[in-house]
Amino acid sequence: MKKVSESEPEKARYFNAVENTRADIIQMTQRMSDQLPKDALAIFDVYQQLLDAASLGNEVVDKINQGWCAVSALKIVVEKYIAEFEKMDDPYIRERAVDVKDLSRRLLEHLTAKANRALAIPTSAIIIAEEVTASMLAEIPREQITGIVSFKGAENSHAAIMARALGIPAVIGVRDVPILQLDDVDIIVDGYSGKVFICPNEAILDEYRKLESEDKAFADLLKQEADEYAQTACGRRISMYINSGMGFEGDIAEQQHIEGIGLYRTEYLFMMRQRFPSEQEQQAFYQEVLGDFDGKPVIMRTLDVGGDKQLPYFPIIEENPFLGWRGIRLTLDHSEIFLVQIRAMIKANILTNNLHIMLPMVSDIGEIEEASRLIKQAHREVEKEMFDADNAARVPMPKIGVMIEVPSMIFQLDKLKGKIDFCSIGTNDLTQYLLAVDRNNDKVSGLYDAYHPTVLTAIKMIADETKKIGIPCSVCGELAGDPGGAMLLTGMGFDQLSMNTQNVLRVKWVLKKADHLVLQKLVEDVLDCTRPDQVKFRVNRTILNIGAAGILRAGN
Ligand code: PEP
Ligand code: MG
C-alpha cells in the first residue's frame, strides 16, 4: 500500500486504465457476438456498468483524493466490494465477487502496464483456473478451447452459463486438483460425468476416444432428421417447443420443427442487470424475441424470482425461500413491477400478436383473478397510450395461462375453466413440492426424482382433468426434455412438450421409434410402481425394446 503526495497524476492513470479496460471489453464483446446469444453477452454490460463512476469509479477516486496511489486505491475499494459480495448467502450475488475480481485484474494490468502481453494458448486448450471467468473465455478463440475446469463456481457463475451456451465441456467446482502440475499435460474433461482425468493412461484415453467418436456419430445421426416434425412411430404428432430466456441462436426460430417457445424465463433479463430494466428496455427485448418467432407462439412467463433466483438489486432474505415470496406472490405484492412488465410485453406484441402470458408459482385461484385484472388494466393503459399518441393500432390481448407447479392447483383444475386459456406443467417445482424436497439442497438430492410414481400420478391426473375441461396443457419442466420423461408424457396424452434446445433432437429421435400404444402401456406399468428406480427400469427396458439404446449410453 502506497501513499503519494500528488493525486491528480494518479487519477489520470486510473481514468486511463478505465478507458483501456473499456476498450478491451468492447473488443471481447465484438469477438464473441457471433458465438454467444445476446443475453450471455449482457455479462459484459455488467462489467461496463461496474466501471461506471457510480459503481467502483467514484470510490476509487475518493481514495486517491485521500492520498492513496491508484493501485492501492483500487485494491482498497475492490477488496471491500468482494468482501461484501462474498458475505451474501445468495449464490447469485456471491458470484458477482468474481466479476469484480476479474475486472480489477484487468484494471491492474493496465495500471501496471502489463496489458496486452501475448498469451501462448495451444490449440485444443483446456482452461484450468481457481476461478474461470467469463472474460477469460472471451479472450481465447472458441475453437482453441476444448474444455474448462474451474475450482470455484457453480451453476450460476457466468463462466458456467457461457460454457453451456458455447457447448464447451466444463467441470465447475472440482476439488483436489494439483493446479501447478498441469501445464502441458494431457487432460480429459468429462462434462457429462463431471470427472477430470490428469495424465490418463492409454486404456482411459482409448475409452474416451471411443466415447468421443460415438458421441459425434450419434450427434450426426440426430442431425439427419433435424428438420422433421416430431412424431411417434405410429404417426402421432408431438409439438416441440423450446425453453428460452438466456437468448438463443437466431436460426432456431427459423427451424420449422421448433413450433414456438413454450417457456420464456423473463427473470434472466432481470438477473443480468444491476437494476430493474425499464419498460422501454423490456419492450425492446421482448419485441426482438417475438419478432424472431413471428408466426409462432411465444409463452412468456412473468418475473419468477425468489427461492433460488435472486435479483442482485432486490435481495429477499427468508427462512424458507422456496415456500416464501416467489413468483406471482412477489409481483402481486409489487404490482408496479408486474404492470411495467405486462405493459412492455403487450406493446412488444402489437406487430406480431404471438404473445402468451404465463403466471408462475400460482397456488390459489385468487392470484389468477388478481393477475388477470392487472393484465386487463395494463392492456387498457397501452390502448389508451396508443390512441393518445394518435396511433390507432389495434392492441391485441394476449392469451393468459398458468404454470401448474404447486400441488394445490391439481385439486382446483376444474375451477380454472373460463379463467385461463392454457396451462403448462412445471415438473421441476411440482416434484420439489410434492415430495417436499428442496431442489437445490444436495443433502436431499437423492430424494428428488421426477420419476417418483407420486409425481407421475399427479401429472397423469393433470393430463386427464385438463383434457376433460378443455384447457390445453403442455409440459415445460426438465422432465419433458428427458427422453424417457418425454416418452412417459407422450404416453399420458400430452402433445406439446417444451425443453432446452439441446434436447430437442434426442427427444424426437426416441419418440419416432415408439408406438403410442407402447407408451400408453408403459405409463400404465409405471403408475403401478412404488419406487422411482422401478420406474426407471421399466422406461429403460422400453427404450431397449424399441431399438433406442443409443440414447442410454454415456455421453448421449
Ligand atoms: C419448473 O418449475 O418446472 C419450471 C419450468 O420452472 P423453473 O425451473 O424456472 O422453476
Ligand atoms: Mg418453477
Side-chain angles (χ1 to χ4, degrees), residues 70-97:
V71 172
S72 301
L74 177 67
K75 197 160 180 288
I76 295 168
V77 174
V78 162
E79 278 174 2
K80 187 193 97 180
Y81 267 79
I82 293 172
E84 277 172 15
F85 281 131
E86 284 182 343
K87 263 199 319 245
M88 299 291 183
D89 285 339
D90 177 75
Y92 182 80
I93 303 182
R94 269 204 312 273
E95 284 301 329
R96 304 292 68 78

PDB file of all heavy atoms in Angstrom, residues 70-97:
ATOM      1  N   ALA A  70      -2.992   5.097  -7.227  1.00  0.00           N
ATOM      2  CA  ALA A  70      -4.120   4.495  -7.953  1.00  0.00           C
ATOM      3  C   ALA A  70      -4.236   2.997  -7.665  1.00  0.00           C
ATOM      4  O   ALA A  70      -5.337   2.474  -7.440  1.00  0.00           O
ATOM      5  CB  ALA A  70      -3.950   4.742  -9.449  1.00  0.00           C
ATOM      6  N   VAL A  71      -3.089   2.296  -7.645  1.00  0.00           N
ATOM      7  CA  VAL A  71      -3.137   0.838  -7.429  1.00  0.00           C
ATOM      8  C   VAL A  71      -3.692   0.524  -6.041  1.00  0.00           C
ATOM      9  O   VAL A  71      -4.571  -0.336  -5.875  1.00  0.00           O
ATOM     10  CB  VAL A  71      -1.728   0.212  -7.623  1.00  0.00           C
ATOM     11  CG1 VAL A  71      -1.713  -1.248  -7.213  1.00  0.00           C
ATOM     12  CG2 VAL A  71      -1.272   0.372  -9.070  1.00  0.00           C
ATOM     13  N   SER A  72      -3.196   1.253  -5.017  1.00  0.00           N
ATOM     14  CA  SER A  72      -3.672   0.987  -3.649  1.00  0.00           C
ATOM     15  C   SER A  72      -5.157   1.334  -3.526  1.00  0.00           C
ATOM     16  O   SER A  72      -5.932   0.600  -2.898  1.00  0.00           O
ATOM     17  CB  SER A  72      -2.885   1.805  -2.630  1.00  0.00           C
ATOM     18  OG  SER A  72      -1.532   1.483  -2.711  1.00  0.00           O
ATOM     19  N   ALA A  73      -5.547   2.472  -4.145  1.00  0.00           N
ATOM     20  CA  ALA A  73      -6.952   2.892  -4.050  1.00  0.00           C
ATOM     21  C   ALA A  73      -7.855   1.813  -4.648  1.00  0.00           C
ATOM     22  O   ALA A  73      -8.871   1.430  -4.061  1.00  0.00           O
ATOM     23  CB  ALA A  73      -7.147   4.214  -4.795  1.00  0.00           C
ATOM     24  N   LEU A  74      -7.438   1.295  -5.802  1.00  0.00           N
ATOM     25  CA  LEU A  74      -8.231   0.254  -6.465  1.00  0.00           C
ATOM     26  C   LEU A  74      -8.333  -0.973  -5.551  1.00  0.00           C
ATOM     27  O   LEU A  74      -9.402  -1.548  -5.362  1.00  0.00           O
ATOM     28  CB  LEU A  74      -7.571  -0.122  -7.804  1.00  0.00           C
ATOM     29  CG  LEU A  74      -8.241  -1.238  -8.571  1.00  0.00           C
ATOM     30  CD1 LEU A  74      -9.619  -0.816  -9.076  1.00  0.00           C
ATOM     31  CD2 LEU A  74      -7.391  -1.676  -9.777  1.00  0.00           C
ATOM     32  N   LYS A  75      -7.189  -1.340  -4.966  1.00  0.00           N
ATOM     33  CA  LYS A  75      -7.152  -2.537  -4.120  1.00  0.00           C
ATOM     34  C   LYS A  75      -8.121  -2.384  -2.919  1.00  0.00           C
ATOM     35  O   LYS A  75      -8.894  -3.287  -2.609  1.00  0.00           O
ATOM     36  CB  LYS A  75      -5.713  -2.732  -3.627  1.00  0.00           C
ATOM     37  CG  LYS A  75      -5.409  -4.079  -3.103  1.00  0.00           C
ATOM     38  CD  LYS A  75      -3.904  -4.338  -3.110  1.00  0.00           C
ATOM     39  CE  LYS A  75      -3.576  -5.710  -2.579  1.00  0.00           C
ATOM     40  NZ  LYS A  75      -3.748  -5.875  -1.170  1.00  0.00           N
ATOM     41  N   ILE A  76      -8.064  -1.206  -2.283  1.00  0.00           N
ATOM     42  CA  ILE A  76      -8.910  -0.988  -1.090  1.00  0.00           C
ATOM     43  C   ILE A  76     -10.399  -1.129  -1.471  1.00  0.00           C
ATOM     44  O   ILE A  76     -11.163  -1.842  -0.832  1.00  0.00           O
ATOM     45  CB  ILE A  76      -8.663   0.422  -0.487  1.00  0.00           C
ATOM     46  CG1 ILE A  76      -7.225   0.525   0.043  1.00  0.00           C
ATOM     47  CG2 ILE A  76      -9.661   0.719   0.621  1.00  0.00           C
ATOM     48  CD1 ILE A  76      -6.782   1.943   0.385  1.00  0.00           C
ATOM     49  N   VAL A  77     -10.779  -0.470  -2.577  1.00  0.00           N
ATOM     50  CA  VAL A  77     -12.204  -0.468  -2.958  1.00  0.00           C
ATOM     51  C   VAL A  77     -12.651  -1.868  -3.391  1.00  0.00           C
ATOM     52  O   VAL A  77     -13.700  -2.362  -2.978  1.00  0.00           O
ATOM     53  CB  VAL A  77     -12.457   0.559  -4.094  1.00  0.00           C
ATOM     54  CG1 VAL A  77     -13.887   0.459  -4.600  1.00  0.00           C
ATOM     55  CG2 VAL A  77     -12.157   1.965  -3.595  1.00  0.00           C
ATOM     56  N   VAL A  78     -11.804  -2.504  -4.195  1.00  0.00           N
ATOM     57  CA  VAL A  78     -12.183  -3.818  -4.714  1.00  0.00           C
ATOM     58  C   VAL A  78     -12.297  -4.830  -3.574  1.00  0.00           C
ATOM     59  O   VAL A  78     -13.245  -5.626  -3.518  1.00  0.00           O
ATOM     60  CB  VAL A  78     -11.155  -4.274  -5.776  1.00  0.00           C
ATOM     61  CG1 VAL A  78     -11.250  -5.753  -6.015  1.00  0.00           C
ATOM     62  CG2 VAL A  78     -11.392  -3.520  -7.070  1.00  0.00           C
ATOM     63  N   GLU A  79     -11.356  -4.779  -2.638  1.00  0.00           N
ATOM     64  CA  GLU A  79     -11.431  -5.749  -1.525  1.00  0.00           C
ATOM     65  C   GLU A  79     -12.697  -5.544  -0.707  1.00  0.00           C
ATOM     66  O   GLU A  79     -13.316  -6.493  -0.245  1.00  0.00           O
ATOM     67  CB  GLU A  79     -10.174  -5.635  -0.651  1.00  0.00           C
ATOM     68  CG  GLU A  79      -9.043  -6.436  -1.289  1.00  0.00           C
ATOM     69  CD  GLU A  79      -7.710  -6.291  -0.590  1.00  0.00           C
ATOM     70  OE1 GLU A  79      -7.644  -5.586   0.433  1.00  0.00           O
ATOM     71  OE2 GLU A  79      -6.739  -6.904  -1.085  1.00  0.00           O
ATOM     72  N   LYS A  80     -13.093  -4.286  -0.561  1.00  0.00           N
ATOM     73  CA  LYS A  80     -14.327  -4.006   0.194  1.00  0.00           C
ATOM     74  C   LYS A  80     -15.540  -4.616  -0.535  1.00  0.00           C
ATOM     75  O   LYS A  80     -16.353  -5.323   0.052  1.00  0.00           O
ATOM     76  CB  LYS A  80     -14.506  -2.492   0.331  1.00  0.00           C
ATOM     77  CG  LYS A  80     -15.663  -2.110   1.239  1.00  0.00           C
ATOM     78  CD  LYS A  80     -16.019  -0.650   1.106  1.00  0.00           C
ATOM     79  CE  LYS A  80     -17.173  -0.506   0.148  1.00  0.00           C
ATOM     80  NZ  LYS A  80     -17.704   0.739  -0.165  1.00  0.00           N
ATOM     81  N   TYR A  81     -15.606  -4.397  -1.855  1.00  0.00           N
ATOM     82  CA  TYR A  81     -16.721  -4.943  -2.649  1.00  0.00           C
ATOM     83  C   TYR A  81     -16.756  -6.465  -2.577  1.00  0.00           C
ATOM     84  O   TYR A  81     -17.799  -7.070  -2.368  1.00  0.00           O
ATOM     85  CB  TYR A  81     -16.579  -4.528  -4.127  1.00  0.00           C
ATOM     86  CG  TYR A  81     -17.325  -3.268  -4.470  1.00  0.00           C
ATOM     87  CD1 TYR A  81     -16.781  -2.025  -4.147  1.00  0.00           C
ATOM     88  CD2 TYR A  81     -18.543  -3.309  -5.111  1.00  0.00           C
ATOM     89  CE1 TYR A  81     -17.451  -0.860  -4.459  1.00  0.00           C
ATOM     90  CE2 TYR A  81     -19.221  -2.142  -5.428  1.00  0.00           C
ATOM     91  CZ  TYR A  81     -18.674  -0.911  -5.100  1.00  0.00           C
ATOM     92  OH  TYR A  81     -19.348   0.227  -5.405  1.00  0.00           O
ATOM     93  N   ILE A  82     -15.557  -7.067  -2.762  1.00  0.00           N
ATOM     94  CA  ILE A  82     -15.513  -8.540  -2.776  1.00  0.00           C
ATOM     95  C   ILE A  82     -15.986  -9.087  -1.437  1.00  0.00           C
ATOM     96  O   ILE A  82     -16.793 -10.010  -1.371  1.00  0.00           O
ATOM     97  CB  ILE A  82     -14.093  -9.026  -3.121  1.00  0.00           C
ATOM     98  CG1 ILE A  82     -13.772  -8.648  -4.573  1.00  0.00           C
ATOM     99  CG2 ILE A  82     -13.950 -10.529  -2.912  1.00  0.00           C
ATOM    100  CD1 ILE A  82     -12.345  -8.903  -4.986  1.00  0.00           C
ATOM    101  N   ALA A  83     -15.493  -8.464  -0.343  1.00  0.00           N
ATOM    102  CA  ALA A  83     -15.884  -8.953   0.991  1.00  0.00           C
ATOM    103  C   ALA A  83     -17.399  -8.845   1.137  1.00  0.00           C
ATOM    104  O   ALA A  83     -18.050  -9.758   1.650  1.00  0.00           O
ATOM    105  CB  ALA A  83     -15.168  -8.137   2.058  1.00  0.00           C
ATOM    106  N   GLU A  84     -17.978  -7.742   0.659  1.00  0.00           N
ATOM    107  CA  GLU A  84     -19.434  -7.582   0.799  1.00  0.00           C
ATOM    108  C   GLU A  84     -20.202  -8.635   0.008  1.00  0.00           C
ATOM    109  O   GLU A  84     -21.126  -9.262   0.500  1.00  0.00           O
ATOM    110  CB  GLU A  84     -19.863  -6.188   0.318  1.00  0.00           C
ATOM    111  CG  GLU A  84     -19.684  -5.144   1.402  1.00  0.00           C
ATOM    112  CD  GLU A  84     -19.914  -3.731   0.898  1.00  0.00           C
ATOM    113  OE1 GLU A  84     -20.483  -3.570  -0.198  1.00  0.00           O
ATOM    114  OE2 GLU A  84     -19.493  -2.797   1.612  1.00  0.00           O
ATOM    115  N   PHE A  85     -19.765  -8.853  -1.233  1.00  0.00           N
ATOM    116  CA  PHE A  85     -20.462  -9.848  -2.065  1.00  0.00           C
ATOM    117  C   PHE A  85     -20.307 -11.249  -1.478  1.00  0.00           C
ATOM    118  O   PHE A  85     -21.249 -12.036  -1.461  1.00  0.00           O
ATOM    119  CB  PHE A  85     -19.913  -9.836  -3.493  1.00  0.00           C
ATOM    120  CG  PHE A  85     -20.446  -8.709  -4.339  1.00  0.00           C
ATOM    121  CD1 PHE A  85     -19.587  -7.903  -5.075  1.00  0.00           C
ATOM    122  CD2 PHE A  85     -21.800  -8.461  -4.411  1.00  0.00           C
ATOM    123  CE1 PHE A  85     -20.079  -6.870  -5.874  1.00  0.00           C
ATOM    124  CE2 PHE A  85     -22.298  -7.434  -5.209  1.00  0.00           C
ATOM    125  CZ  PHE A  85     -21.433  -6.634  -5.931  1.00  0.00           C
ATOM    126  N   GLU A  86     -19.071 -11.554  -1.017  1.00  0.00           N
ATOM    127  CA  GLU A  86     -18.832 -12.932  -0.558  1.00  0.00           C
ATOM    128  C   GLU A  86     -19.578 -13.262   0.724  1.00  0.00           C
ATOM    129  O   GLU A  86     -19.812 -14.407   1.036  1.00  0.00           O
ATOM    130  CB  GLU A  86     -17.323 -13.177  -0.406  1.00  0.00           C
ATOM    131  CG  GLU A  86     -16.686 -13.364  -1.784  1.00  0.00           C
ATOM    132  CD  GLU A  86     -15.199 -13.663  -1.752  1.00  0.00           C
ATOM    133  OE1 GLU A  86     -14.585 -13.412  -0.702  1.00  0.00           O
ATOM    134  OE2 GLU A  86     -14.677 -14.133  -2.788  1.00  0.00           O
ATOM    135  N   LYS A  87     -19.958 -12.220   1.476  1.00  0.00           N
ATOM    136  CA  LYS A  87     -20.712 -12.434   2.719  1.00  0.00           C
ATOM    137  C   LYS A  87     -22.143 -12.878   2.449  1.00  0.00           C
ATOM    138  O   LYS A  87     -22.806 -13.445   3.306  1.00  0.00           O
ATOM    139  CB  LYS A  87     -20.784 -11.102   3.487  1.00  0.00           C
ATOM    140  CG  LYS A  87     -19.736 -10.981   4.570  1.00  0.00           C
ATOM    141  CD  LYS A  87     -20.076  -9.925   5.613  1.00  0.00           C
ATOM    142  CE  LYS A  87     -20.656  -8.647   5.110  1.00  0.00           C
ATOM    143  NZ  LYS A  87     -19.912  -7.437   5.260  1.00  0.00           N
ATOM    144  N   MET A  88     -22.630 -12.588   1.244  1.00  0.00           N
ATOM    145  CA  MET A  88     -24.049 -12.833   0.951  1.00  0.00           C
ATOM    146  C   MET A  88     -24.368 -14.327   0.954  1.00  0.00           C
ATOM    147  O   MET A  88     -23.571 -15.127   0.498  1.00  0.00           O
ATOM    148  CB  MET A  88     -24.399 -12.282  -0.437  1.00  0.00           C
ATOM    149  CG  MET A  88     -24.187 -10.803  -0.556  1.00  0.00           C
ATOM    150  SD  MET A  88     -25.396  -9.935   0.444  1.00  0.00           S
ATOM    151  CE  MET A  88     -24.980  -8.254   0.044  1.00  0.00           C
ATOM    152  N   ASP A  89     -25.555 -14.634   1.428  1.00  0.00           N
ATOM    153  CA  ASP A  89     -25.983 -16.041   1.424  1.00  0.00           C
ATOM    154  C   ASP A  89     -26.301 -16.508   0.016  1.00  0.00           C
ATOM    155  O   ASP A  89     -26.136 -17.649  -0.334  1.00  0.00           O
ATOM    156  CB  ASP A  89     -27.286 -16.203   2.235  1.00  0.00           C
ATOM    157  CG  ASP A  89     -26.987 -16.135   3.704  1.00  0.00           C
ATOM    158  OD1 ASP A  89     -25.816 -16.377   4.050  1.00  0.00           O
ATOM    159  OD2 ASP A  89     -27.904 -15.819   4.475  1.00  0.00           O
ATOM    160  N   ASP A  90     -26.800 -15.584  -0.761  1.00  0.00           N
ATOM    161  CA  ASP A  90     -27.298 -15.989  -2.066  1.00  0.00           C
ATOM    162  C   ASP A  90     -26.182 -16.238  -3.068  1.00  0.00           C
ATOM    163  O   ASP A  90     -25.308 -15.393  -3.258  1.00  0.00           O
ATOM    164  CB  ASP A  90     -28.209 -14.877  -2.595  1.00  0.00           C
ATOM    165  CG  ASP A  90     -28.687 -15.232  -3.981  1.00  0.00           C
ATOM    166  OD1 ASP A  90     -29.558 -16.109  -4.068  1.00  0.00           O
ATOM    167  OD2 ASP A  90     -28.132 -14.698  -4.953  1.00  0.00           O
ATOM    168  N   PRO A  91     -26.187 -17.436  -3.700  1.00  0.00           N
ATOM    169  CA  PRO A  91     -25.086 -17.780  -4.597  1.00  0.00           C
ATOM    170  C   PRO A  91     -24.966 -16.828  -5.784  1.00  0.00           C
ATOM    171  O   PRO A  91     -23.871 -16.538  -6.233  1.00  0.00           O
ATOM    172  CB  PRO A  91     -25.429 -19.192  -5.084  1.00  0.00           C
ATOM    173  CG  PRO A  91     -26.803 -19.476  -4.616  1.00  0.00           C
ATOM    174  CD  PRO A  91     -27.167 -18.503  -3.561  1.00  0.00           C
ATOM    175  N   TYR A  92     -26.111 -16.321  -6.286  1.00  0.00           N
ATOM    176  CA  TYR A  92     -26.021 -15.450  -7.464  1.00  0.00           C
ATOM    177  C   TYR A  92     -25.273 -14.169  -7.096  1.00  0.00           C
ATOM    178  O   TYR A  92     -24.388 -13.718  -7.809  1.00  0.00           O
ATOM    179  CB  TYR A  92     -27.433 -15.115  -8.002  1.00  0.00           C
ATOM    180  CG  TYR A  92     -27.342 -14.261  -9.242  1.00  0.00           C
ATOM    181  CD1 TYR A  92     -27.075 -14.847 -10.475  1.00  0.00           C
ATOM    182  CD2 TYR A  92     -27.438 -12.879  -9.180  1.00  0.00           C
ATOM    183  CE1 TYR A  92     -26.943 -14.085 -11.621  1.00  0.00           C
ATOM    184  CE2 TYR A  92     -27.302 -12.103 -10.314  1.00  0.00           C
ATOM    185  CZ  TYR A  92     -27.061 -12.714 -11.532  1.00  0.00           C
ATOM    186  OH  TYR A  92     -26.921 -11.941 -12.661  1.00  0.00           O
ATOM    187  N   ILE A  93     -25.598 -13.603  -5.932  1.00  0.00           N
ATOM    188  CA  ILE A  93     -24.932 -12.349  -5.547  1.00  0.00           C
ATOM    189  C   ILE A  93     -23.456 -12.632  -5.238  1.00  0.00           C
ATOM    190  O   ILE A  93     -22.574 -11.852  -5.598  1.00  0.00           O
ATOM    191  CB  ILE A  93     -25.645 -11.702  -4.344  1.00  0.00           C
ATOM    192  CG1 ILE A  93     -27.121 -11.459  -4.703  1.00  0.00           C
ATOM    193  CG2 ILE A  93     -24.980 -10.386  -3.981  1.00  0.00           C
ATOM    194  CD1 ILE A  93     -27.935 -10.797  -3.636  1.00  0.00           C
ATOM    195  N   ARG A  94     -23.193 -13.790  -4.593  1.00  0.00           N
ATOM    196  CA  ARG A  94     -21.790 -14.138  -4.303  1.00  0.00           C
ATOM    197  C   ARG A  94     -20.970 -14.188  -5.582  1.00  0.00           C
ATOM    198  O   ARG A  94     -19.823 -13.798  -5.612  1.00  0.00           O
ATOM    199  CB  ARG A  94     -21.728 -15.493  -3.604  1.00  0.00           C
ATOM    200  CG  ARG A  94     -21.774 -15.373  -2.091  1.00  0.00           C
ATOM    201  CD  ARG A  94     -21.147 -16.593  -1.434  1.00  0.00           C
ATOM    202  NE  ARG A  94     -21.615 -17.848  -1.967  1.00  0.00           N
ATOM    203  CZ  ARG A  94     -22.700 -18.481  -1.533  1.00  0.00           C
ATOM    204  NH1 ARG A  94     -23.417 -17.981  -0.557  1.00  0.00           N
ATOM    205  NH2 ARG A  94     -23.062 -19.612  -2.085  1.00  0.00           N
ATOM    206  N   GLU A  95     -21.599 -14.683  -6.649  1.00  0.00           N
ATOM    207  CA  GLU A  95     -20.875 -14.782  -7.920  1.00  0.00           C
ATOM    208  C   GLU A  95     -20.418 -13.421  -8.435  1.00  0.00           C
ATOM    209  O   GLU A  95     -19.465 -13.326  -9.200  1.00  0.00           O
ATOM    210  CB  GLU A  95     -21.777 -15.407  -8.998  1.00  0.00           C
ATOM    211  CG  GLU A  95     -21.940 -16.894  -8.856  1.00  0.00           C
ATOM    212  CD  GLU A  95     -20.625 -17.624  -8.920  1.00  0.00           C
ATOM    213  OE1 GLU A  95     -19.710 -17.157  -9.612  1.00  0.00           O
ATOM    214  OE2 GLU A  95     -20.513 -18.658  -8.251  1.00  0.00           O
ATOM    215  N   ARG A  96     -21.098 -12.347  -8.026  1.00  0.00           N
ATOM    216  CA  ARG A  96     -20.705 -11.025  -8.528  1.00  0.00           C
ATOM    217  C   ARG A  96     -19.310 -10.647  -8.023  1.00  0.00           C
ATOM    218  O   ARG A  96     -18.637  -9.836  -8.598  1.00  0.00           O
ATOM    219  CB  ARG A  96     -21.716  -9.945  -8.127  1.00  0.00           C
ATOM    220  CG  ARG A  96     -23.148 -10.217  -8.560  1.00  0.00           C
ATOM    221  CD  ARG A  96     -23.354 -10.149 -10.065  1.00  0.00           C
ATOM    222  NE  ARG A  96     -22.728 -11.174 -10.835  1.00  0.00           N
ATOM    223  CZ  ARG A  96     -23.181 -12.417 -10.964  1.00  0.00           C
ATOM    224  NH1 ARG A  96     -24.236 -12.824 -10.333  1.00  0.00           N
ATOM    225  NH2 ARG A  96     -22.537 -13.282 -11.729  1.00  0.00           N
ATOM    226  N   ALA A  97     -18.853 -11.264  -6.912  1.00  0.00           N
ATOM    227  CA  ALA A  97     -17.489 -11.020  -6.430  1.00  0.00           C
ATOM    228  C   ALA A  97     -16.486 -11.437  -7.492  1.00  0.00           C
ATOM    229  O   ALA A  97     -15.435 -10.817  -7.659  1.00  0.00           O
ATOM    230  CB  ALA A  97     -17.254 -11.795  -5.135  1.00  0.00           C
TER     231      ALA A  97
END
